[in-house]
Amino acid sequence: MLTSKTFIKKTKTGKILKIVREHYLRDDITCGVGSCRECDGPPTLEAASTSPSEMCQGEHLLCPDTNVILHQIDVIEDHRIRNVIILQTVLEEVRHRSIPTYKRLRDILCNPDKHFYSFCNEFNKHTYVEREAGESSNDRNDRAIREAVKWYNKHLQTSRQIQTLLLTNDADNRKKALDQGIQSYTIHQYVRSLKDGKDLVDRLSLSGSKVFSGDKVQYPEHLPLSAIQKGLKTGKYLQGKFMASRENYTEANVSVADQEKMIFIQGLQNLNRAVQDDIVAIEMLKEEDWTCPSSVILVHTEEKDDTDEEEEKENLEKKRRKVPKELRQPTGKVVGIIKRNWRQYCGMLQPSIIKQATRHLVVTADKRIPKIRIETRQAADLMGQRIVVAIDNWPRTSRYPQGHFVRKLGNVGDKETENEVLLLEHDIPHAGFSEAVLNCLPTLPWEITKEDMECREDFRDLDICSVDPPGCTDIDDALHCRDLPNGNLEVGVHIADVSHFIRPGTAIDKEAERRGTTVYLTDKRIDMVPELLSSNLCSLRSNVERFAFSVIWEITNDAEIVKARYAKSVIKSKAALTYAEAQMRIDDPSMTDAVTKSLRNLNRLAKILKKKRMEKGALTLASNEVRFHIDSETHDPIDVETKQIRETNSMVEEFMLLANVSTAQKTLQEFPDCSCLRRHPCPPPSNFDPLIKAAQSKGFRIDVSSGKALADSLERAVLPDDPYFNVMLRIMTTRCMAQAVYFCSGMLPPSEYIHYGLAAEIYTHFTSPIRRYSDIIVHRLLAVCIGADASYPELTDKYKTQAVCNNLNYRHKMAQYAGRASVNLHTHIFFKNRHVDNEGYVLFVRKNALQVLIPKYGLEATLYLDSKTVTFEYDEQEHTQTCGDKVFRVFDRVIVQLTIDQSNLQHLKLQTKLVEPKIEGFSVPPSTPSDTSDEPPLKKKKKT
Amino acid sequence: MAEVDLSDAEKIFIKHGVQDNCREDGRGCEDYRHIELETGLLSNTTGSARVRLANTDILAGVKAELGTPSPDKPNKGRLEFFVDCSANATPVFEGRGGEELAAEIGNILTRTYDCPSCFDLEALCIIPEEQCWILYVDVLLLECGGNLFDVASIAVKAALYNTKIPKVTVSRDEGLVELEISDDPYDVQRVEVQSAPCIVTVCKIGHSHVVDASLKEEACCLARLTMGVTERRTVTGVRKEGSGSLDPASLEDMMQTGKRVGELLNKSLMDSLLEEERQGSKKKPVGFLK
């Protein structure tokens, strides 16, 4: 039967179109119930296995409406909710309103244990309803849902008595359903009636049901979306992404598209319930009301609650004290929310004063997220545990957002739990690989066949070796160098041929694309591809035959490239060395084997290459990377050292850069529109302001007009008596840089391809396909270039490539953050039982604190200057803090004592106390040697 | 123009019949043939109608689009006619063969509707000088069986009656005009066609005149009067066609006949349209598959 759906649409250009879609109704759509005699479809639903409920004794099926799915997806996901009919009406509405919820719902539908069945009621002749005059589309959908439930009840009556319950929290809908003789409950009623699901009640979302606190109105009302859109058009409001400050919870920034400077927002009233990552509409304040960040570090603590008065006082104070004009930043206020981007948050219960209370506050692990109110009866169990909660809503009258409990992760302080928190908070996919992915792996024993050999070059006889950090199992690059008869050298970079194993479009490819990168935590690695590939079949281990993608150059002795070629190959690495081992071989004159010789040649060439690169204006930046020595039994860190940089590090790096640049040129030449490249944009000059100011205080002028000028002026800025000064400048420079990003060449003009840090016109990532997906794309492109592999449509689709790049950039950033957070975590564990005095340098001077860099641990600590006995004076112009005759400036050397403040279990805080210079009443005496006695004997050092 | 060839004897036979108020198919001089009418056949138009009279078959569709009013009539919407003579109707229309006839029908429709009292164009205006509805009326000739003008006008009037323009609300905000359309497909604006004209073609045959001439009768006719007549007998446009001349007395007579017949035609058309509307959505569409 044919009907048609008609709707009227307004296009962007203002045209009004009437759109008619044909809609075919069928009478052979099955009900999905296993015991149904009439339908012979797949028996997805098994009414007998529904969780017993007190309300409905017999066998029954559930049919939730859209709002139940949208708000209660956490409950719906629970294994006790089974045998649910998801109507097409509901599915479509969910997809329309929330993509993440839709994805989760699809996942449930795919899980056979959940017995979820999606019923195409819109295409069923018996359940299709047409919109009537005067009926809103929501009313129509509600009616369609009721009609479907009615049909189910009638349909199942004929074979067996199975009840279908309508779950809806809409009172009006429920009343209409009861009038039609349909059993209908709210989700809350139903979950409470479950015989084995008492704890499920906690997970119910509270949206729409009630407001916890009857506080007075606290926040201004949000504007409706229509008003916002109008305002955006006229330019009255601006749209941007909300980014809360980590340092002060009453401050935030909003990044508005196509505006360089962020809009600053201050005060809870102005923040107006926006949460990190929301898309908000803001209105600019009048210029005389503009302010600047207060440079006070203000963090949500567990002790303080409802500190309204304090804030109000603070606000009043601010109003009185106008900010000087030159410091003012564009300031605005949030007037409405365009899109919430709430996710699930990790946190801990804040201890409640009243025992047995069911309403609790959850302090979130992410400092940018406010505390969340939840209702739970298991507070006693959850105390001291890391838990996951979701935000449901944030009414105007509530100081904090309201949410519900989702699940618990484990005891606070447990390594596993803490790692889990880290991964969750950084949105890193870390579940095991699915069956479908593992099925894509080659079967063992894996052997190189004759056909493989035929289409690859045989490099098994070359003296190839790999150089990596100790303990590395995913070796993705190897090198060789040999003399050519004409006096030149042949250098080869051999990269693991991951794209041979990961074919486009397979499950393993999709999973790798989603993960984007391998994530390295201090004690854990979350692989992008399954271990069999990453540590075995792709890894270029020594003395086994492996597939590689080789770049071979003919290079003169002055490191001029004569020609380059690319080939798929088979190699057999002669040695898998660490940086230290390789360095030893090079330095040891008694070693004269082929591998060592080629290493020496490579090293020599690398030095020339590096010099050339530096002359072009490449920057040498510094960061403070550290390694932990981990105790093999307790897995606690026992010592920290900053990473040593050897010649061999730079040797490998140099050739990888060369390979990357070569491939970038080759792929771009062949695919000018769809190459996957990496660019590092020129940072805006204003980024360098803090660096220039800091260097000026020591009498150096930093020229930031070009990369070359910057590199040169950094080179010159050396204090002979303070070797660390230059390193600190370089660390500060690193912070001024923009992020390097992947992009698709067809989306930007060639002038923007440049890589600022490396001073390269064009760059890509080719050399680590085991741990980066971008490299896999580049491998595929290059393989097509040299005719070694076939192309596929998505490879040359620039929009698809750009979409992949966007995801890679996001994953890459998150992986970096997670890595840093993991280092922090270990630093905290390391300092747990230690009092150590350390030499440090002032990196930044803030209004109430000094940021101190401790080179030994590569650590940045905050030294708070809020003493009751002495007062510090802050000079905003000069960035100094003065106390008596002691002045603290940037780059000053200080001695600080580090301890761990264990008063807050969630955020173990590194407490920093001043030892030197001595300030009476503020600094602490140096720790005696007995305090540091628990520092481990160095002999027991274990390497990881 | 589609024509049939008749011998002199045949012509005389028809002329004599008309003189005695008895036409070749038994009708009187002021009788129309049987008319079939159905509206709302094309779901992707704003309004549509199909009319069949003997062998003449015409489909009319209305499409409403937003546009700017013409500068000389800033507070009025527009009505634009376009006629297409399908080569299906007669092989003569093939290529550009139908263009002349199409233009003729289009012109006369434009002329008869261009009268403030018969069709309210102001109702189509949304914002004076800025936004108005333009109704594009497309007339498609599917089959020719004579009397094309009358049938086309009936189809147009029925299609306009069937037209349901989405309701538009105007909101003004700081000089910026925003048009919003209701998302309820039932929330529509109807077009008032009560006083819209129908075309009546009066053909002079011998000394008498007839309405609704068949193809054969058209072949005997030397002069005819095409007039737009409303329900209240207002004549909104007259045109004389054909090679023959008309004396003032018979012109007056023909006008009177046209008015009389036009009134009746309009009334019975409105009755049928209301009757169809009353049947509502329960009515099964007949369409072309009869």
Side-chain angles (χ1 to χ4, degrees), chain A residues 449-477:
Chain A
T449 62
K450 221 173 173 187
E451 292 86 62
D452 287 332
M453 285 308 297
E454 269 165 20
C455 56
R456 284 169 184 274
E457 290 195 38
D458 188 354
F459 289 154
R460 284 177 293 184
D461 305 329
L462 293 180
D463 295 310
I464 295 169
C465 69
S466 63
V467 185
D468 285 283
C472 176
T473 60
D474 48 351
I475 304 170
D476 38 24
D477 50 72

Short mmCIF file of all heavy atoms in Angstrom, two decimals, chain A residues 449-477:
data_model
loop_
_atom_site.label_atom_id
_atom_site.label_comp_id
_atom_site.label_asym_id
_atom_site.label_seq_id
_atom_site.Cartn_x
_atom_site.Cartn_y
_atom_site.Cartn_z
N THR A 449 55.03 -16.00 1.79
CA THR A 449 54.84 -16.93 0.68
C THR A 449 55.62 -16.49 -0.54
O THR A 449 56.16 -15.38 -0.57
CB THR A 449 53.35 -17.02 0.30
OG1 THR A 449 52.95 -15.72 -0.12
CG2 THR A 449 52.50 -17.45 1.46
N LYS A 450 55.61 -17.35 -1.51
CA LYS A 450 56.33 -17.07 -2.73
C LYS A 450 55.75 -15.87 -3.46
O LYS A 450 56.46 -15.02 -3.99
CB LYS A 450 56.24 -18.31 -3.65
CG LYS A 450 57.54 -18.60 -4.33
CD LYS A 450 57.41 -19.90 -5.05
CE LYS A 450 58.64 -20.15 -5.89
NZ LYS A 450 58.46 -21.34 -6.74
N GLU A 451 54.39 -15.80 -3.42
CA GLU A 451 53.72 -14.68 -4.11
C GLU A 451 54.13 -13.36 -3.48
O GLU A 451 54.33 -12.36 -4.15
CB GLU A 451 52.20 -14.82 -4.04
CG GLU A 451 51.63 -15.99 -4.81
CD GLU A 451 51.64 -17.27 -4.01
OE1 GLU A 451 50.96 -17.32 -2.97
OE2 GLU A 451 52.33 -18.22 -4.42
N ASP A 452 54.23 -13.39 -2.15
CA ASP A 452 54.65 -12.18 -1.45
C ASP A 452 56.02 -11.74 -1.94
O ASP A 452 56.26 -10.56 -2.19
CB ASP A 452 54.72 -12.43 0.06
CG ASP A 452 53.34 -12.55 0.67
OD1 ASP A 452 52.41 -11.93 0.11
OD2 ASP A 452 53.18 -13.24 1.69
N MET A 453 56.91 -12.72 -2.07
CA MET A 453 58.28 -12.41 -2.45
C MET A 453 58.34 -11.81 -3.85
O MET A 453 59.15 -10.94 -4.14
CB MET A 453 59.15 -13.67 -2.42
CG MET A 453 59.53 -14.16 -1.04
SD MET A 453 60.28 -12.92 0.01
CE MET A 453 61.76 -12.53 -0.90
N GLU A 454 57.45 -12.31 -4.71
CA GLU A 454 57.50 -11.88 -6.10
C GLU A 454 57.21 -10.39 -6.28
O GLU A 454 57.78 -9.75 -7.14
CB GLU A 454 56.49 -12.68 -6.93
CG GLU A 454 57.13 -13.92 -7.51
CD GLU A 454 56.10 -14.90 -8.02
OE1 GLU A 454 54.95 -14.49 -8.27
OE2 GLU A 454 56.44 -16.09 -8.14
N CYS A 455 56.31 -9.87 -5.43
CA CYS A 455 55.95 -8.48 -5.64
C CYS A 455 56.70 -7.54 -4.69
O CYS A 455 56.34 -6.38 -4.54
CB CYS A 455 54.44 -8.29 -5.51
SG CYS A 455 53.80 -8.88 -3.97
N ARG A 456 57.70 -8.07 -4.03
CA ARG A 456 58.47 -7.22 -3.13
C ARG A 456 59.96 -7.33 -3.44
O ARG A 456 60.41 -8.35 -3.92
CB ARG A 456 58.27 -7.67 -1.67
CG ARG A 456 56.95 -7.24 -1.14
CD ARG A 456 56.65 -7.90 0.18
NE ARG A 456 55.31 -7.52 0.59
CZ ARG A 456 55.03 -6.42 1.24
NH1 ARG A 456 56.00 -5.63 1.64
NH2 ARG A 456 53.79 -6.12 1.55
N GLU A 457 60.70 -6.27 -3.11
CA GLU A 457 62.14 -6.35 -3.30
C GLU A 457 62.75 -7.10 -2.12
O GLU A 457 62.26 -7.02 -1.00
CB GLU A 457 62.72 -4.94 -3.39
CG GLU A 457 62.32 -4.27 -4.68
CD GLU A 457 63.15 -3.05 -4.98
OE1 GLU A 457 64.36 -3.09 -4.70
OE2 GLU A 457 62.58 -2.07 -5.47
N ASP A 458 63.79 -7.79 -2.41
CA ASP A 458 64.42 -8.61 -1.37
C ASP A 458 65.60 -7.87 -0.77
O ASP A 458 66.65 -7.73 -1.40
CB ASP A 458 64.87 -9.93 -2.01
CG ASP A 458 65.36 -10.89 -0.95
OD1 ASP A 458 65.44 -10.48 0.23
OD2 ASP A 458 65.65 -12.04 -1.30
N PHE A 459 65.41 -7.38 0.45
CA PHE A 459 66.49 -6.66 1.13
C PHE A 459 67.03 -7.47 2.32
O PHE A 459 67.57 -6.92 3.25
CB PHE A 459 66.00 -5.29 1.65
CG PHE A 459 65.73 -4.30 0.55
CD1 PHE A 459 64.81 -3.27 0.74
CD2 PHE A 459 66.42 -4.36 -0.65
CE1 PHE A 459 64.57 -2.34 -0.27
CE2 PHE A 459 66.18 -3.44 -1.66
CZ PHE A 459 65.26 -2.43 -1.48
N ARG A 460 66.82 -8.78 2.26
CA ARG A 460 67.16 -9.57 3.44
C ARG A 460 68.66 -9.61 3.71
O ARG A 460 69.09 -9.85 4.81
CB ARG A 460 66.60 -10.98 3.29
CG ARG A 460 65.10 -11.02 3.53
CD ARG A 460 64.55 -12.39 3.30
NE ARG A 460 64.66 -12.78 1.89
CZ ARG A 460 64.18 -13.92 1.41
NH1 ARG A 460 63.60 -14.78 2.21
NH2 ARG A 460 64.32 -14.21 0.14
N ASP A 461 69.44 -9.36 2.67
CA ASP A 461 70.88 -9.43 2.86
C ASP A 461 71.50 -8.14 3.35
O ASP A 461 72.66 -8.10 3.74
CB ASP A 461 71.55 -9.81 1.52
CG ASP A 461 70.96 -11.10 0.98
OD1 ASP A 461 70.55 -11.93 1.84
OD2 ASP A 461 70.89 -11.26 -0.26
N LEU A 462 70.72 -7.06 3.32
CA LEU A 462 71.28 -5.78 3.74
C LEU A 462 71.50 -5.77 5.26
O LEU A 462 70.80 -6.44 6.01
CB LEU A 462 70.34 -4.64 3.36
CG LEU A 462 70.18 -4.40 1.85
CD1 LEU A 462 69.22 -3.24 1.63
CD2 LEU A 462 71.51 -4.12 1.22
N ASP A 463 72.46 -4.94 5.67
CA ASP A 463 72.76 -4.86 7.10
C ASP A 463 71.86 -3.81 7.74
O ASP A 463 72.27 -2.68 7.99
CB ASP A 463 74.23 -4.50 7.31
CG ASP A 463 75.11 -5.62 6.81
OD1 ASP A 463 74.84 -6.77 7.19
OD2 ASP A 463 76.03 -5.33 6.02
N ILE A 464 70.64 -4.25 7.98
CA ILE A 464 69.65 -3.32 8.52
C ILE A 464 69.60 -3.49 10.03
O ILE A 464 69.70 -4.60 10.55
CB ILE A 464 68.27 -3.62 7.91
CG1 ILE A 464 68.33 -3.33 6.41
CG2 ILE A 464 67.17 -2.83 8.58
CD1 ILE A 464 67.14 -3.83 5.64
N CYS A 465 69.47 -2.39 10.74
CA CYS A 465 69.27 -2.51 12.19
C CYS A 465 68.26 -1.46 12.64
O CYS A 465 67.98 -0.49 11.94
CB CYS A 465 70.59 -2.33 12.93
SG CYS A 465 71.22 -0.66 12.82
N SER A 466 67.71 -1.67 13.81
CA SER A 466 66.75 -0.71 14.36
C SER A 466 67.31 -0.13 15.64
O SER A 466 68.05 -0.79 16.36
CB SER A 466 65.41 -1.39 14.62
OG SER A 466 65.55 -2.39 15.59
N VAL A 467 66.98 1.11 15.92
CA VAL A 467 67.45 1.78 17.13
C VAL A 467 66.22 2.38 17.82
O VAL A 467 65.50 3.18 17.21
CB VAL A 467 68.46 2.90 16.81
CG1 VAL A 467 69.02 3.49 18.10
CG2 VAL A 467 69.57 2.38 15.93
N ASP A 468 65.96 1.97 19.05
CA ASP A 468 64.74 2.39 19.74
C ASP A 468 65.02 2.58 21.23
O ASP A 468 66.07 2.18 21.71
CB ASP A 468 63.66 1.31 19.56
CG ASP A 468 63.08 1.34 18.17
OD1 ASP A 468 62.27 2.24 17.92
OD2 ASP A 468 63.48 0.49 17.34
N PRO A 469 64.07 3.15 21.96
CA PRO A 469 64.26 3.22 23.41
C PRO A 469 64.24 1.82 24.01
O PRO A 469 63.69 0.90 23.40
CB PRO A 469 63.08 4.05 23.90
CG PRO A 469 62.18 4.26 22.76
CD PRO A 469 62.86 3.81 21.53
N PRO A 470 64.82 1.64 25.19
CA PRO A 470 64.81 0.32 25.80
C PRO A 470 63.39 -0.16 26.08
O PRO A 470 62.51 0.64 26.40
CB PRO A 470 65.61 0.52 27.09
CG PRO A 470 65.64 1.98 27.32
CD PRO A 470 65.53 2.63 26.00
N GLY A 471 63.18 -1.44 25.92
CA GLY A 471 61.87 -2.00 26.25
C GLY A 471 60.84 -1.82 25.17
O GLY A 471 59.67 -2.11 25.36
N CYS A 472 61.25 -1.35 24.02
CA CYS A 472 60.30 -1.08 22.95
C CYS A 472 59.97 -2.38 22.22
O CYS A 472 60.86 -3.10 21.79
CB CYS A 472 60.90 -0.07 21.98
SG CYS A 472 59.87 0.26 20.57
N THR A 473 58.70 -2.70 22.11
CA THR A 473 58.33 -3.93 21.39
C THR A 473 57.66 -3.64 20.06
O THR A 473 57.54 -4.51 19.23
CB THR A 473 57.39 -4.80 22.23
OG1 THR A 473 56.21 -4.05 22.51
CG2 THR A 473 58.04 -5.24 23.52
N ASP A 474 57.18 -2.40 19.89
CA ASP A 474 56.58 -2.09 18.59
C ASP A 474 57.57 -1.28 17.74
O ASP A 474 57.52 -0.07 17.65
CB ASP A 474 55.24 -1.35 18.73
CG ASP A 474 55.32 -0.19 19.70
OD1 ASP A 474 56.35 -0.06 20.39
OD2 ASP A 474 54.35 0.58 19.78
N ILE A 475 58.50 -2.03 17.15
CA ILE A 475 59.57 -1.40 16.37
C ILE A 475 59.05 -1.11 14.97
O ILE A 475 58.76 -2.04 14.22
CB ILE A 475 60.79 -2.34 16.28
CG1 ILE A 475 61.23 -2.74 17.69
CG2 ILE A 475 61.92 -1.69 15.50
CD1 ILE A 475 62.26 -3.84 17.72
N ASP A 476 58.89 0.16 14.64
CA ASP A 476 58.34 0.40 13.30
C ASP A 476 59.35 1.01 12.33
O ASP A 476 58.99 1.27 11.20
CB ASP A 476 57.03 1.17 13.31
CG ASP A 476 56.99 2.25 14.34
OD1 ASP A 476 58.06 2.72 14.75
OD2 ASP A 476 55.90 2.62 14.76
N ASP A 477 60.57 1.22 12.75
CA ASP A 477 61.52 1.71 11.75
C ASP A 477 62.87 1.03 11.90
O ASP A 477 63.26 0.62 12.97
CB ASP A 477 61.68 3.23 11.88
CG ASP A 477 61.95 3.65 13.30
OD1 ASP A 477 63.07 3.38 13.78
OD2 ASP A 477 61.05 4.22 13.94
#
